Each structure stands twice: as C-alpha cells, then as structure tokens.
Amino acid sequence: MTKAAAIRAVKGFRDVLPDESRRWQAIENAAVATFVRYGFGEIRLPILERTELFARSLGESTDVVEKEMYTFVDRDETSVTLRPEATASVVRAYLESGLAQSDPTAQLFYRGPMFRRERPQKGRYRQFYQIGAEVLGREDALADAELLVMLARLLETVQARGVRLELNSVGDAACRPAYTETLRAFGRAHLAQLCGDCHRRLERNPLRLFDCKVETCRAVLADAPMILDALCDPCRTHLAQVRALLDVCGVTYGMNPRLVRGLDYYVRTAFELVAEGLGAQNAVGGGGRYDGLVAALGGPAVAGVGFALGLERLASVSEVAVDEAGPAAIVLPLDAGGVAPALRLATRLRDEGLTVNLEPSGRSLKALLRVADRRRARLAIIVGEDELQQGRATVRDLTRHVDRRHALALDAPGPELARSVRAFLETLA
Ligand code: AMP
C-alpha cells in the first residue's frame, strides 16, 4: 500500500500549540478581566456574515473589500464572507437584537479569528485573532478617553514591551472634505514624485496617501498639509477634551498627525498602538471613532468608538508571566490491574483542584519515569502490584528522586488524599 500524502494547513493559516496558547490565554484572561471591570459585556459573534455588511461598512473601494475578503456564494445563492474584522458585526448585532432601542449606550467586547487574504509574512496571517471593544451611543470625549485608559491599563497588565500609543483626529464631515481637497491639490502638485498606488489614492481617498510605505512618497508627504491644522471647532474641542482626560489618568501617548485609519467611517479620534522591534508589521492594535457607521448600516444616527488588538502581535511583545509549571503529580499504573485504581485516584485528586497527569500502563517503571520528567511533574504516584496489595501507592519526589513507599492510602477520601499530596509537595526541593 502506498503511503497517503500528509495534508498541510492552507497557506497563511496556522495552528497555535500549547506553548504559544498559554500566553494567549494569559492575555485573553487579562483582557476579559479588564474589560469587565470597565463595564463591558462580551458579545459572541458569527464568523460568517453577508458580504453586503462589509461592502457597506468598510467601503467598496478599500483594500480589504476589494482584494482581501474570503467571499463565496452559499448553496442558497447568498454571497457570504468570512469576517475580516468585527466592528461591522457588532453594529449589525446591536441593531438586529434591538439593543439600539433597549440599551443604546452599549459597551461590548469580542475576541476571535478574523480572515483577510493578505500576502502572508512574519506577523501577518490570513487567519488571525483579535480582541476588541466597542462603545456605542456615546459622542462624548469621555467615551474615547475611558476606552484608551482601559487599553493602556491592559497593555500594562500584559506587560507589553515597547508599545506606544499614537493619537490623531481625522476630522468629521464638517472639516474633512475641505482638508481632503487641500491634500489632493498638494498631491497633484507633486504627482511626478508619487508612486502608481498613490496616484490612485489621490483620486479615491487622498487621506490614504499617508499609508504609503514607499520612501519617495513618504518624503513628499513629510511636507503635506496636516489635518490637525484643518479641524473645525467641535473636532478641535473633542480632541482637546480627550487629551485632557488622558492626562488626568497619566496615560502617555504621542500625537501623530499622519495617522489615518484606512476605513471611511472613522471620524475625529483615531489611534494606533505601535510596537518597536516588530519589523514591518508593527501595529499591535488600532481604533477610533466611527459616528457614521450605525446609520450607514440602516440604524439610527448613533455614535461609536472602539479598538481592535491583534493577538499574535500582542503576544509577541507581551512579557506577561505564563504558568510553565508541569503537573503537581503524575499517576503511573504499572500494569493492567492498576489502571482503574489509578484513574479513580487521579480523578479524586483533580476533583480537589490538583493538576494531575495519568499515563497508560504497559511500560517499565523506568520508561514511565522518563515520561514524568518530560512532563515536568513534581511527584510520581506509582500504582504497582505490590501497592495494590497493600492498598497504598508509592510517592516519588521527582526533584530528588527518592521514594516514600506505600505513602498514600488508595481508598482514603478525596480531601484526605489531596491533603497528603499537598503536604508532599511542600517538602519538595
Ligand atoms: P485593523 O482592523 O486593520 O486596524 O487591525 C487591527 C489589528 O489587528 C492590527 O493592529 C494588527 O495587530 C492585527 N492584524 C490586522 N491584520 C492582521 C493580519 N493579517 N495578521 C495578523 N494580525 C493582523
């Protein structure tokens, strides 16, 4: 028989194994605890949405909608898309569930995979994970500020190293159109020095000129007019209020007048978290205010502000303590007769809150102890024939490799068993 070929994961899709997911868990737990403390509730969203949702919310002419979505026609002819981000889904759910009426100032957080068919590279995947939070129904600067304080606190808790917060205002419908024209005129005056992509951006969405990574374009844009100088009074006031509130809480940030978010529905506050030492993919997260989105999706004129963090990138800069310790004990039945008593013993210890591994029988004690070392167990609980006859298991201190023969009564009640195991653990080197 020929050997079947192994099946590999799809390009840009990857597995997250326990060595990595332990850090993810620590970060997610910290995020959930932080968000809950700030009054946010979790929303669990579907991964598949109608394509129209993203076409309408992200704008037809954005890179994400034009080239990066996983879109297919379902069997009933509906066009559906694996979500490239979650804000649009949060707003859809907010409207669909009636929250927009019953609890217009909703504070929601989410976590889960997103899908974008970008060119895979270090720190960029086609399935990646985000943790995000959204505040709906709030126009006031306090909402932006509180969200940013929460974000800053989370970054501290997960010990994200070298991450800085950059802030800008992208204006609103009152002041941005005039600025966009000024920028377009500036770009047209420098057409010869701009790349082909920038020529297109210039016509469609001049703000996105600032996204260009080409050195010559960046040099030209260094002298471009800045939106911060073109804000209308309400936008200027909003920004000043956000900044004052951040100062009150000691949140440090830098102003970046070239920071624009790629999506059309952002107004006023825009921010990004940038990490040093992550190379080209150095954005750990970003967000901003999107006051036009709810209405664009068919709802009332309700404001919104939110952010999304990239979990892969956050994990790569996080120095949060991760529990790498092995199990407290590993139970080793030496032969078939020991299997059932070993399972019963392990179960009762686990019921008492101890982390316990269990190995199948059929190998020599020496082989089993090698396994115990590999798993970094601190105690081995050996259930051999002799132990079964005595009704007492042998406990081996794996830090010093010494045995306490027949030290653990197999039939003792769970709490008593756990007490003796904990007492053993305390005597370890
Ligand atoms: P965005 O919705 O584009 O602002 O993305 C928010 C965050 O998600 C970014 O700052 C990244 O940390 C992360 N992110 C976005 N796209 C990818 C990707 N293709 N692979 C990994 N992380 C990503």
Side-chain angles (χ1 to χ4, degrees):
M1 216 173 79
T2 54
K3 194 165 171 277
I7 297 170
R8 302 174 63 91
V10 176
K11 184 177 174 193
F13 289 68
R14 57 194 284 273
D15 307 300
V16 183
L17 298 175
D19 271 349
E20 196 180 354
S21 66
R22 266 193 287 274
R23 182 166 304 276
W24 285 33
Q25 276 167 11
I27 293 173
E28 286 192 57
N29 291 345
V32 172
T34 305
F35 297 166
V36 166
R37 239 181 292 137
Y38 280 74
F40 286 71
E42 181 168 15
I43 180 165
R44 300 260 176 165
L45 297 158
I47 281 167
L48 200 67
E49 295 274 9
R50 289 171 190 273
T51 304
E52 203 192 340
L53 177 68
F54 304 112
R56 268 215 255 161
S57 64
L58 304 184
E60 303 268 6
S61 69
T62 51
D63 281 357
V64 172
V65 172
E66 272 186 351
K67 347 183 249 225
E68 295 172 0
M69 296 204 306
Y70 281 94
T71 296
F72 61 95
V73 177
D74 201 356
R75 285 164 207 265
D76 66 359
E77 306 293 314
T78 320
S79 177
V80 289
T81 295
L82 291 175
R83 62 179 185 191
E85 57 104 50
T87 303
S89 301
V90 171
V91 171
R92 180 201 48 68
Y94 172 76
L95 294 172
E96 191 169 345
S97 66
L99 268 185
Q101 272 78 44
S102 63
D103 187 11
T105 57
Q107 303 198 112
L108 301 164
F109 75 88
Y110 61 84
R111 48 186 158 156
M114 308 294 156
F115 304 84
R116 293 183 198 172
R117 204 172 190 293
E118 297 182 90
R119 195 169 50 77
Q121 62 182 81
K122 187 168 179 291
R124 190 159 78 189
Y125 310 99
R126 290 179 168 179
Q127 172 173 336
F128 59 96
Y129 289 76
Q130 287 186 341
I131 307 179
E134 314 284 353
V135 180
L136 290 157
R138 294 270 306 274
E139 279 178 26
D140 52 310
L142 175 61
D144 312 40
E146 230 189 321
L147 201 69
L148 286 166
V149 173
M150 175 169 88
L151 193 51
R153 287 294 187 269
L154 173 59
L155 293 176
E156 268 171 38
T157 308
V158 302
Q159 300 182 48
R161 290 288 166 247
V163 177
R164 59 175 196 276
L165 173 62
E166 296 187 347
L167 185 66
N168 195 20
S169 171
V170 294
D172 66 4
C175 54
R176 194 163 55 211
Y179 168 74
T180 305
E181 281 319 308
T182 313
L183 185 60
R184 188 173 273 140
F186 171 87
R188 284 187 180 143
H190 295 82
L191 216 50
Q193 293 123 281
L194 295 176
C195 71
D197 277 346
C198 279
H199 288 187
R200 266 192 303 281
R201 291 183 179 119
L202 202 53
E203 297 317 313
R204 281 185 172 174
N205 186 354
L207 275 185
R208 303 217 41 201
L209 290 171
F210 293 110
D211 289 341
C212 190
K213 299 276 188 288
V214 177
E215 232 12 87
T216 43
C217 296
R218 291 171 80 99
V220 171
L221 287 164
D223 298 324
M226 292 298 162
I227 187 145
L228 277 180
D229 300 321
L231 296 179
C232 59
D233 281 343
C235 286
R236 201 181 297 280
T237 307
H238 187 90
L239 178 62
Q241 286 172 340
V242 173
R243 298 185 61 174
L245 291 168
L246 292 180
D247 291 343
V248 165
C249 290
V251 172
T252 51
Y253 63 91
M255 290 304 295
N256 176 359
R258 287 178 189 79
L259 172 69
V260 291
R261 303 280 299 160
L263 308 176
D264 291 344
Y265 52 72
Y266 282 101
V267 298
R268 293 188 175 163
T269 311
F271 54 88
E272 204 154 69
L273 296 164
V274 184
E276 270 137 42
L278 273 195
Q281 303 305 317
N282 65 351
V284 169
R289 179 163 276 286
Y290 49 85
D291 292 353
L293 179 61
V294 184
L297 290 177
V302 167
V305 56
F307 66 78
L309 290 165
L311 191 48
E312 288 81 357
R313 295 185 200 169
L314 183 55
S316 69
V317 296
S318 160
E319 290 174 8
V320 68
V322 174
D323 186 3
E324 310 270 7
I330 185 164
V331 182
L332 306 174
L334 296 187
D335 32 45
V339 167
L343 174 62
R344 190 163 158 261
L345 175 65
T347 304
R348 280 180 299 152
L349 291 173
R350 289 162 172 164
D351 288 345
E352 296 300 321
L354 285 157
T355 309
V356 176
N357 285 17
L358 178 59
E359 281 299 307
S361 66
R363 280 166 291 174
S364 69
L365 178 60
K366 200 163 153 221
L368 287 169
L369 288 172
R370 265 202 304 274
V371 175
D373 278 337
R374 204 164 56 236
R375 303 214 194 288
R376 283 171 291 138
R378 290 190 286 153
L379 291 178
I381 301 177
I382 300 159
V383 186
E385 214 173 301
D386 171 39
E387 279 81 7
L388 285 173
Q389 256 166 30
Q390 304 283 326
R392 304 180 72 86
T394 295
V395 178
R396 172 176 290 218
D397 165 358
L398 292 172
T399 63
R400 279 176 296 222
H401 288 271
V402 288
D403 279 347
R404 291 274 301 278
R405 294 205 25 96
H406 303 148
L408 206 61
L410 287 168
D411 280 332
E416 193 180 308
L417 278 174
R419 247 192 322 276
S420 347
V421 168
R422 290 199 164 99
F424 275 118
L425 288 168
E426 269 167 30
T427 66
L428 297 188

